C-alpha cells in the first residue's frame, strides 16, 4: 500500500490495489460507495472520518500513529500488516427506533466484519461481545464507535499479517495470515468488509434488527453458557445467558440475571 508521497499526512488517491478491489465491490457498497480518502500515515482514521462528517465517507490508512481502541486503550497500527478503516454512519430512519438502532449498530458492524473476512479469506472468525473479532480465543480485530450525533464514526482494525506485537499483546493477538498460514490480500479484505458493512447497515436502517441479532448470535459461540468476568465497580463473574433486543449482554450471577450494556468481558 505504500509509495513515496511528499506529505505522509495528507490524503491521496487510493493505491491501485485498494481502488481495484473497491471498484469490483462497488455494486455492493451501497451507502458506503461515496467519498473515500487514503493516508499513508495518520494519527487516527476515526478523527479524519469524523472531520468529513458525511454519511458514507470512508477513510483508510496504511499506518496510524495514535490509533485508538475501546476503553481508552491504544490500537497497535504498524504499516504494511493491518487494516485501519473508519466510516461515517448516521443510524436514523423512520423504520427503526433510534435508541435501538444506535445500540445495535456496533453489533451489526461486528457481524459485517466476520462476514466480510470470511468472504475474502475463508476464515470463520468468532465474535466476542460486543464486537471483538477472535480466532482461537486470540484477538484478530476490533471496532471503535464514536458518536457525535447524528453521526457515528465507526472505525475498525483487523490484523492481516503477523506484527511485532508489544509484549502485552503477543500472546493475546493473532492475524489472518497467522491463522491461515498463507499470504492474505489486504485490499480484498478491505473491499469485502466494507461491502458487508454496507449490507448490514441497510439491514439496520430498514428495520431488520432481529436478523442482525440472530446473525450475531450465530457468530458468537460464547454468548450463552460461558463463564466470564467483567468489571462493574469491581470484578464480577457469571455465566452468559444471551443478548436482549438491544444487544445488551445477559449474565447469570448469584441467582439473578444482570444486563451489561458496556464494559470489557473476559473468558474464564
Ligand atoms: C478495540 O479496542 O477493539 C477497537 C479497536 C479499533 C481500532 C480501529 S483502527 C481504525 C480506527 N481508528 C482508530 O483510531 N481506531 C479504529
Amino acid at each position: 500500500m505504500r509509495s513515496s508521497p511528499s506529505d505522509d499526512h495528507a490524503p491521496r488517491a487510493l493505491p491501485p490495489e485498494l481502488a481495484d478491489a473497491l471498484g469490483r465491490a462497488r455494486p455492493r457498497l451501497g451507502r458506503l460507495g461515496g467519498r473515500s480518502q487514503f493516508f499513508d500515515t495518520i494519527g487516527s482514521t476515526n478523527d479524519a472520518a469524523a472531520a468529513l462528517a458525511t454519511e458514507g465517507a470512508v477513510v483508510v490508512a496504511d499506518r496510524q500513529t495514535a490509533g485508538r481502541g475501546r476503553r481508552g486503550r491504544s490500537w497497535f497500527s504498524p504499516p504494511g500488516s493491518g487494516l485501519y478503516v473508519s466510516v461515517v454512519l448516521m443510524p436514523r430512519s423512520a423504520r427503526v427506533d433510534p435508541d435501538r438502532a444506535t445500540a445495535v449498530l456496533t453489533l451489526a458492524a461486528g457481524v459485517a466484519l466476520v462476514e466480510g473476512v470470511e468472504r475474502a479469506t475463508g476464515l470463520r472468525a468468532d465474535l466476542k461481545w460486543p464486537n471483538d473479532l477472535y480466532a482461537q480465543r486470540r484477538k484478530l480485530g476490533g471496532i471503535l464507535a464514536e458518536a457525535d450525533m447524528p453521526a457515528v464514526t465507526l472505525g475498525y482494525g483487523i490484523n492481516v499479517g503477523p506484527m511485532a506485537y508489544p509484549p502485552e499483546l503477543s500472546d493475546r493477538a493473532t492475524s489472518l495470515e497467522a491463522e491461515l498460514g498463507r499470504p492474505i490480500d489486504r485490499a480484498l479484505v478491505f473491499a469485502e468488509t466494507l461491502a458487508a458493512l454496507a449490507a448490514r447497515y441497510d439491514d439496520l436502517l430498514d428495520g431488520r434488527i432481529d436478523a442482525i441479532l440472530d446473525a450475531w448470535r450465530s457468530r458468537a459461540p460464547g454468548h450463552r453458557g460461558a463463564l466470564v468476568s467483567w468489571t462493574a465497580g469491581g470484578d464480577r463473574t457469571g455465566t452468559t445467558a444471551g443478548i436482549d433486543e438491544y444487544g445488551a449482554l445477559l449474565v447469570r450471577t448469584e441467582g439473578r440475571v444482570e444486563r451489561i450494556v458496556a464494559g470489557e468481558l473476559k473468558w474464564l
Side-chain angles (χ1 to χ4, degrees), residues 42-47 59 64 66-77 83-86 131-133 139 141-146 153-158 264:
I42 194 165
S44 163
T45 54
N46 264 30
D47 292 337
V59 174
Q64 296 183 118
R68 292 193 290 278
R70 290 173 61 232
R71 307 184 67 72
R73 285 190 292 253
S74 59
W75 186 257
F76 184 55
S77 309
L83 189 58
Y84 318 114
V85 183
S86 297
N131 49 36
D132 288 338
L133 270 70
K139 188 153 168 171
I143 294 171
L144 175 69
E146 296 178 312
T153 303
L154 192 131
Y156 61 92
I158 297 178
E264 180 77 0

Side-chain angles (χ1 to χ4, degrees), residues 1 17-19 21-22 83 184-192:
M1 263 194 222
E17 71 277 17
L18 288 188
L22 217 50
L83 189 58
I184 291 299
D185 181 347
R186 182 167 52 163
L188 187 60
V189 178
F190 170 58
E192 290 300 337

Side-chain angles (χ1 to χ4, degrees), residues 29-54:
L29 292 180
R31 291 176 168 91
L32 306 185
R35 184 170 179 189
S36 52
Q37 281 191 344
F38 173 82
F39 293 82
D40 284 290
T41 298
I42 194 165
S44 163
T45 54
N46 264 30
D47 292 337
L52 294 175
T54 307

